[in-house]
């Protein structure tokens, strides 16, 4: 009997996971205090732990819970910001597009559109109105200079081959269709005709969370502060190990340990820290490579224009990388841009907004491209983090080669909203079926980072 | 009397189910993106959950000789799912048929099979299903253009609207279609070159964003949007659509007063306007 219950040999303050014992006095003290406190206990063991409860984490939880037949796996989502105040999911501009240069990115966004179209089937509760994500169907418009127009045409052909509904427009056709556009310096543009647009990411997140709770997923308000490791077998190949348990700290400061079978990293911008806790970037060999995901701050500015572009305005991306879209029906618009170089990257310490960036970089370019925006009134602005993959700004998905039960789903670098649903489906296929087959994402595994190969995306906004 | 089309018994859930059962084996579309077989098993197919206790105490499992979910809502969902799959399979057109008989005739087949009626260019009578007989030729007729499609009260869906591709429809009536939502309205861009009249009154799933998606129909001349309970701001969106498309005539909504534009005459709702073929012959498209 003694072999199954081990004496806890760690930090005394951590409530141990299943199978480990504590002193009897401590146990009774804890039981009595539990009787008088209202908080729910963090379980001592579970099957699947998802670090991060944003769109990606909730999508992973949803697909695993939806596909399994008998609640075989207990799923636990650990999210340290339950009100999603700083979560990238809520602060996102909300755009979804099919115009990418990497084929898997196109397929992933198309999967998300198909999911949103059938949202009543997936996330609808019986006899209640279907969850409404406020999907605006106006599409994305990418503008191209004469040098890039030919490349854009080839990419549009590739996207059409994959089933995306995108069309090329010449500058004259664009001027006819969108009279507010200044086509100076523009040779062509590609417009998404169906399935592209923007929506409210927070309502999608709320619908996912509600459905997950109905399917039996536990959402824990805690922060992951460590993992414990164990060797996966007595004779290991190389130095492979598995994560045996997750140590989390809740809002009161108490630490709890939860045994787990698999861990999925959906921590978004903070995925690098979670990878470090799991052991990436610490030792030699394949473990010496840290997860190359860092937070990068991006701003969104909301302004009002009296007689701006009308209702058919797509989310327009200028040749300079500045984008804008209509917000609501009252003449409000939002805009943003990525900084041009690494040196101009804003500090990630807090979510304060830099208005100089708007005045110096964004507004002049917008006013040049859309003359009506010379007279605008800036109303508000906010900032959010991209989960920026410093290696090649594309998704990293799949199990780590050394930590065999640690699955990664990070680094979408601003496309997290569009790819979250497909990433959730792909992770669920990896867990349940040991392969991805809806959209083949085997190219995006962590091995490409070890082999120093890049998959580069041209259309970065 | 075709004015009672929307009350046809085939739209009630139990008789739709009966029709599904008698169809027999329904083929899956091989081009569909495989979402995994397990995806299409909603709650009714799940077993009773395990209590997590020892077998002696796990009464749920012991008493569950037949593991089935007899909850009324789950049964309704099960039947609705069967109807959905059957509808989608019926409303699609495979490429071979399209090649053989041409796009317009294939589109006509879909519309008529779903319970709607059509007019070709140059004719002035409606073609609709009589019982289960579809009075359309099954060989290619050159220069046959589909011009009017009336899908009042039918169960046409997003996947079913694929028939629009390659046609030159001038008038499309989607009145009282319970499955038409915003995504379907966005899909109408395929006939934006030729579509001149659209009627989507009574489609409860349409919201403001769906009406905004109608901006893609650049040549639209008439739009009827009565009875859209979920589109609260339809008057405002109609004003925005008029800004971009001055030739548009929006019916069924009180447009906001604007001293730049004239107050349009709001036509009172005529319930029999589209139901009687004799009055519609005056609206027939020009030959």
């Amino acid at each position: 009997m003694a072999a199954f219950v081990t004496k806890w040999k760690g930090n005394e303050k951590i409530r141990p996971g299943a199978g480990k014992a504590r002193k009897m006095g401590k146990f009774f003290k804890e039981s009595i205090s539990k009787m008088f406190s209202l908080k729910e206990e963090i379980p001592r063991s579970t099957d699947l732990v998802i670090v991060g409860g944003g769109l990606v984490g909730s999508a992973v939880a949803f697909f695993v819970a939806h596909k399994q037949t008998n609640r075989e796996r207990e799923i636990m989502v650990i999210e340290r910001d339950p009100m999603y105040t700083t979560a990238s999911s809520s602060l996102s501009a909300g755009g979804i597009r099919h115009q990418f240069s990497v084929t898997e990115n196109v397929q992933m966004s198309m999967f998300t559109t198909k999911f949103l179209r059938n949202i009543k089937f997936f996330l609808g509760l019986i006899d209640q109105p279907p969850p409404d994500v406020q999907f605006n169907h106006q599409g994305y418009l990418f503008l191209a200079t004469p040098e890039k127009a030919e490349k854009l045409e080839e990419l549009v052909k590739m996207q059409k081959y994959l089933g995306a509904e995108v069309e090329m427009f010449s500058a004259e056709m664009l001027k006819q269709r969108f009279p507010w556009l200044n086509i100076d310096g523009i040779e062509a543009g590609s417009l998404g005709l169906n399935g592209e647009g923007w929506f409210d990411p927070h309502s999608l997140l709320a619908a996912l969370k509600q459905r997950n709770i109905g399917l039996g997923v536990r959402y824990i308000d805690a922060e992951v502060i460590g993992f414990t490791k164990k060797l996966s077998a007595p004779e290991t190949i190389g130095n492979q190990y598995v994560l045996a348990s997750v140590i989390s700290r809740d809002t009161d400061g108490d630490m709890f340990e939860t045994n787990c079978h698999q861990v999925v990293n959906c921590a978004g911008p903070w995925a690098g820290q979670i990878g470090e806790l799991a052991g990436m970037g610490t030792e030699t060999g394949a473990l010496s490579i840290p997860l190359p995901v860092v937070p990068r701050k991006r701003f969104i500015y909301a302004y009002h224009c009296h007689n701006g572009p009308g209702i058919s305005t797509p989310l327009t991306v200028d040749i300079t990388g500045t984008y804008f879209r209509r917000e609501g029906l009252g003449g409000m618009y939002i805009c943003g841009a990525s900084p041009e170089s690494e040196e101009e990257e804003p500090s990630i310490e807090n979510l304060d907004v830099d208005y100089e960036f708007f005045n110096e970089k964004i507004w002049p370019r917008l006013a040049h491209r859309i003359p009506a925006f010379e007279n605008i009134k800036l109303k508000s602005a906010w900032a959010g983090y991209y989960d920026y993959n410093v290696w090649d700004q594309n998704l990293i998905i799949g199990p780590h080669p050394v930590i065999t039960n640690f699955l990664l789903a990070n680094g979408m670098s601003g496309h997290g909203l569009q790819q979250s649903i497909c990433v959730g489906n792909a992770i669920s296929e990896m867990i349940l079926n040991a392969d991805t087959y809806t959209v083949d994402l085997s190219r995006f595994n962590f091995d490409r980072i070890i082999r120093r190969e890049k998959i580069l995306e041209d259309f970065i906004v | 009397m075709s004015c009672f089309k929307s009350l046809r018994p085939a739209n009630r859930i139990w008789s739709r189910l009966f029709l599904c059962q008698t169809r027999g084996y329904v083929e899956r579309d091989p081009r569909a993106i495989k979402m995994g077989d397990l995806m299409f098993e909603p709650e009714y197919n799940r077993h009773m959950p395990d209590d997590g206790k020892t077998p002696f105490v796990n009464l749920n499992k012991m008493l569950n000789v037949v593991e089935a979910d007899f909850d009324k809502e789950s049964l309704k969902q099960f039947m609705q799912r069967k109807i959905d799959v059957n509808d989608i399979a019926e409303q699609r057109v495979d490429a071979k048929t399209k090649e053989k008989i041409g796009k317009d005739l294939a589109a006509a087949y879909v519309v008529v099979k779903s319970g709607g009626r059509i007019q070709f260019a140059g004719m002035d009578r409606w073609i609709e299903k009589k019982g289960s007989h579809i009075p359309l030729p099954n060989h290619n007729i050159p220069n046959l253009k589909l011009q009017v499609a009336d899908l009042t009260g039918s169960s046409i869906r997003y996947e079913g609207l694929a028939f629009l591709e390659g046609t030159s429809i001038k008038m499309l009536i989607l009145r009282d279609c319970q499955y038409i939502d915003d995504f379907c309205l966005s899909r109408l861009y395929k006939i934006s070159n030729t579509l001149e009249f659209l009627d989507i009154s009574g489609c409860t799933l349409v919201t403001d964003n769906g009406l905004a998606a109608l901006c893609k129909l650049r040549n639209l001349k008439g739009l009827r949007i009565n009875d859209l309970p979920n589109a609260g701001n339809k008057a405002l969106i109609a004003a925005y659509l008029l800004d971009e498309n001055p030739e548009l005539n929006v019916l069924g909504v009180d447009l906001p007063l604007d001293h730049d534009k004239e107050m349009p005459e709001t036509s009172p709702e005529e319930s029999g306007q589209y139901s009687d073929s004799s009055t519609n012959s005056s609206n027939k498209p020009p030959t």
Side-chain angles (χ1 to χ4, degrees):
Chain A
M1 240 8 201
F4 296 103
V5 171
T6 57
K7 202 68 184 302
W8 178 240
K9 273 190 279 251
N11 191 342
E12 282 300 312
K13 292 220 193 73
I14 303 180
R15 191 270 343 248
K20 299 183 183 115
R22 290 157 291 167
K23 287 216 178 91
M24 206 160 65
K26 242 197 186 7
F27 174 71
F28 277 126
K29 241 201 294 188
E30 198 195 278
S31 311
I32 292 170
S33 63
K34 248 199 307 190
M35 266 197 279
F36 295 110
S37 78
L38 290 170
K39 71 178 181 193
E40 235 177 73
E41 197 199 15
I42 294 183
R44 293 178 76 187
S45 83
T46 178
D47 288 317
L48 180 66
V49 168
I50 297 170
V51 179
L55 273 171
V56 182
S58 300
V60 170
F62 168 71
F63 280 103
V64 176
H66 179 94
K67 287 183 179 178
Q68 62 181 10
T69 41
N70 198 6
R71 302 214 172 174
E72 298 141 349
R73 285 164 196 80
E74 288 179 14
I75 306 167
M76 188 166 104
V77 175
I78 306 184
E79 168 63 46
R80 70 178 177 188
D81 183 12
M83 294 291 118
Y84 299 106
T85 50
T86 60
S88 307
S89 306
S90 316
L91 298 167
S92 158
I96 177 166
R97 58 178 162 114
H98 301 164
Q99 299 176 53
F100 290 95
S101 62
V102 177
T103 54
E104 283 92 343
N105 285 346
V106 178
Q107 290 173 315
M108 282 200 270
S109 303
M110 287 176 65
F111 186 99
T112 306
T113 306
K114 187 164 180 176
F115 181 89
L116 291 174
R117 204 172 71 220
N118 296 318
I119 199 171
K120 179 167 179 160
F121 168 72
F122 290 115
L123 303 182
L125 302 173
I126 300 176
D127 261 7
Q128 284 193 11
D132 186 14
V133 295
Q134 311 282 329
F135 199 106
N136 283 270
H137 298 265
Q138 268 70 20
Y140 264 66
L141 173 65
F142 278 90
L143 300 171
T145 52
E147 298 90 42
K148 301 232 173 112
E150 205 179 302
K151 179 97 195 295
L152 187 67
E153 185 148 5
E154 277 174 28
L155 288 172
V156 167
K157 247 194 264 181
M158 180 270 283
Q159 289 148 18
K160 276 165 76 153
Y161 173 75
L162 290 169
E165 286 157 287
V166 184
E167 268 312 324
M168 280 291 284
F169 285 80
S170 70
E172 291 76 35
M173 286 155 71
L174 280 178
K175 184 74 189 175
Q176 208 187 14
R177 195 174 174 117
F178 304 121
W180 42 263
L181 189 65
N182 172 18
I183 54 172
D184 172 35
I186 303 290
E187 162 88 6
S190 63
L191 176 66
L193 294 171
N194 187 21
E196 294 192 355
W198 59 89
F199 63 96
D200 178 23
H202 193 81
S203 44
L204 176 62
L205 182 57
L208 273 171
K209 184 166 174 177
Q210 193 187 26
R211 185 79 186 115
N212 283 344
I213 291 174
L215 286 168
V217 174
R218 300 266 322 257
Y219 274 77
I220 309 285
D221 304 336
E223 180 177 354
V224 171
I225 55 171
F227 298 95
T228 57
K229 308 166 181 129
K230 74 169 191 229
L231 295 175
S232 48
E235 328 78 40
T236 51
I237 302 167
N239 50 351
Q240 278 185 341
Y241 61 83
V242 294
L243 299 173
S245 71
V246 172
I247 304 171
S248 48
R249 171 170 49 212
D250 70 357
T251 39
D252 298 333
D254 303 324
M255 294 186 276
F256 300 87
E257 188 198 4
T258 310
N259 290 354
C260 60
H261 183 67
Q262 276 179 317
V263 180
V264 187
N265 184 0
C266 304
W270 318 107
Q273 296 172 4
I274 300 294
E276 203 181 305
L277 290 173
M280 294 167 72
T282 49
E283 301 175 36
T284 55
L287 270 183
S288 67
I289 300 173
L291 188 60
V293 176
V294 298
R296 287 279 166 93
K297 192 158 81 164
R298 296 285 180 266
F299 305 109
I300 293 182
Y301 306 92
Y303 56 93
H304 177 84
C305 180
H306 189 61
N307 47 359
I311 201 168
S312 69
T313 312
L315 198 157
T316 310
V317 181
D318 191 19
I319 45 180
T320 54
T322 314
Y323 66 88
F324 87 97
R325 69 156 168 89
R326 179 180 54 86
E327 169 73 28
L329 297 170
M332 292 287 293
Y333 301 86
I334 67 171
C335 67
S338 292
E340 286 159 340
S341 60
E342 296 277 333
E343 289 80 33
E344 294 175 20
E345 287 282 351
S347 130
I348 54 165
E349 288 205 7
N350 50 27
L351 286 176
D352 291 347
V353 177
D354 178 11
Y355 290 95
E356 286 310 307
F357 184 60
F358 177 78
N359 287 325
E360 284 168 25
K361 291 280 163 65
I362 299 188
W363 190 4
R365 292 172 183 162
L366 269 186
H368 172 71
R369 189 57 57 204
I370 301 109
F373 283 163
E374 272 158 23
N375 306 317
I376 61 176
K377 192 158 175 207
L378 184 64
K379 293 281 184 174
S380 75
W382 66 89
Y385 294 115
Y386 272 16
D387 48 343
Y388 195 81
N389 179 356
V390 293
W391 180 242
D392 57 5
Q393 291 90 55
N394 261 322
L395 172 68
I396 303 175
I397 191 169
H400 191 273
V402 175
I403 315 170
T404 37
N405 72 343
F406 187 47
L407 292 165
L408 302 164
N410 311 115
M412 286 159 265
S413 314
H415 306 137
L417 176 72
Q418 306 168 51
Q419 301 175 353
S420 56
I421 305 291
C422 193
V423 161
N425 186 43
I427 297 274
S428 75
E429 285 168 349
M430 282 181 204
I431 293 174
L432 300 172
N433 302 331
D435 200 5
T436 54
Y437 62 95
T438 307
V439 178
D440 186 13
L441 294 174
S442 47
R443 244 191 346 154
F444 289 86
N445 53 14
F446 189 71
D447 294 352
R448 79 174 191 276
I449 315 243
I450 301 176
R451 289 195 300 258
R452 318 305 279 171
E453 286 170 7
K454 293 195 181 191
I455 303 175
L456 288 169
E457 164 69 55
D458 289 340
F459 286 95
I460 300 252
V461 173
Chain B
M1 263 301 276
S2 37
C3 64
F4 295 122
K5 232 185 215 341
S6 53
L7 300 178
R8 274 171 53 207
N11 283 336
R12 271 185 244 132
I13 234 180
W14 56 266
S15 38
R16 292 304 314 273
L17 188 63
F18 176 73
L19 289 169
C20 299
Q21 299 270 327
T22 51
R23 287 283 180 271
Y25 174 67
V26 164
E27 220 182 282
R28 274 181 195 274
D29 186 354
R31 288 171 304 146
I33 300 173
K34 283 205 183 69
M35 305 244 274
D37 282 330
L38 292 174
M39 293 272 282
F40 293 106
E41 284 182 3
E43 285 196 47
Y44 58 82
N45 249 346
R46 303 194 190 283
H47 305 287
M48 292 292 284
D50 196 348
D51 277 41
K53 304 182 185 138
T54 60
F56 258 119
V57 196
N58 203 339
L59 289 173
N60 266 340
K61 270 213 147 14
M62 274 177 59
L63 297 174
N64 240 356
V65 178
V66 175
E67 287 185 351
D69 184 1
F70 287 124
D71 181 38
K72 177 183 108 172
E73 304 302 336
S74 292
L75 274 180
K76 239 165 86 170
Q77 194 188 36
F78 174 78
M79 297 205 294
Q80 186 62 46
R81 182 69 203 154
K82 277 258 189 283
I83 293 172
D84 290 347
V85 169
N86 189 65
D87 275 348
I88 292 175
E90 271 190 5
Q91 286 168 11
R92 65 177 166 84
V93 191
D94 45 315
K96 243 173 37 175
T97 323
K98 252 197 201 176
E99 249 177 61
K100 187 176 155 218
I101 58 177
K103 291 195 178 139
D104 290 85
L105 202 46
Y109 257 104
V110 171
V111 176
V112 172
K113 210 162 95 161
S114 316
R117 46 189 196 163
I118 49 136
Q119 271 190 18
F120 290 110
M123 300 182 181
D124 64 349
R125 58 179 185 87
W126 290 104
I127 299 178
E128 54 184 333
K129 200 158 68 165
K130 295 178 176 55
S132 60
H133 167 63
I134 299 177
L136 286 173
N138 61 352
H139 52 273
N140 188 11
I141 297 181
N143 296 330
L144 188 68
K145 292 280 169 222
L146 183 63
Q147 245 183 12
V148 182
D150 178 1
L151 286 154
T152 309
S154 72
S155 64
I156 193 84
R157 292 167 189 268
Y158 179 89
E159 290 86 355
L161 282 177
F163 75 83
L164 294 170
E165 188 170 347
T167 55
S168 45
I169 295 178
K170 273 203 188 170
M171 177 166 11
L172 184 62
I173 299 172
L174 292 169
R175 199 165 144 153
D176 298 329
C177 294
Q178 48 175 320
Y179 298 114
I180 291 292
D181 62 359
D182 298 348
F183 286 88
C184 303
L185 296 185
S186 172
R187 198 172 194 183
L188 295 179
Y189 82 93
K190 291 219 186 265
I191 44 173
S192 60
N193 291 332
T194 50
L195 189 67
E196 285 177 12
F197 190 90
L198 179 66
D199 180 356
I200 47 171
S201 41
C203 297
T204 44
L205 290 180
V206 172
T207 66
D208 292 338
N209 299 314
L211 292 180
L214 294 177
C215 65
K216 298 181 194 178
L217 303 170
R218 320 288 293 178
N219 295 322
L220 199 63
K221 299 207 169 55
L223 174 67
R224 178 170 278 275
I225 46 176
N226 298 83
D227 301 327
L228 294 176
N230 284 324
N233 286 323
K234 64 181 180 181
L236 185 57
I237 296 187
Y240 277 119
L241 291 174
L242 275 171
D243 275 344
E244 298 209 333
N245 186 359
E247 287 177 22
L248 182 62
N249 187 18
V250 181
L251 305 165
V253 85
D254 291 328
L255 287 168
L257 275 172
D258 196 346
H259 63 272
D260 283 336
K261 308 184 184 66
E262 279 176 21
M263 180 74 175
E265 297 165 14
T266 54
S267 51
E269 172 59 354
E270 296 153 17
S271 52
Q273 186 175 358
Y274 295 113
S275 39
D276 204 353
S277 19
S278 54
T279 47
N280 248 336
S281 60
S282 58
N283 286 345
K284 76 165 192 268
T287 47

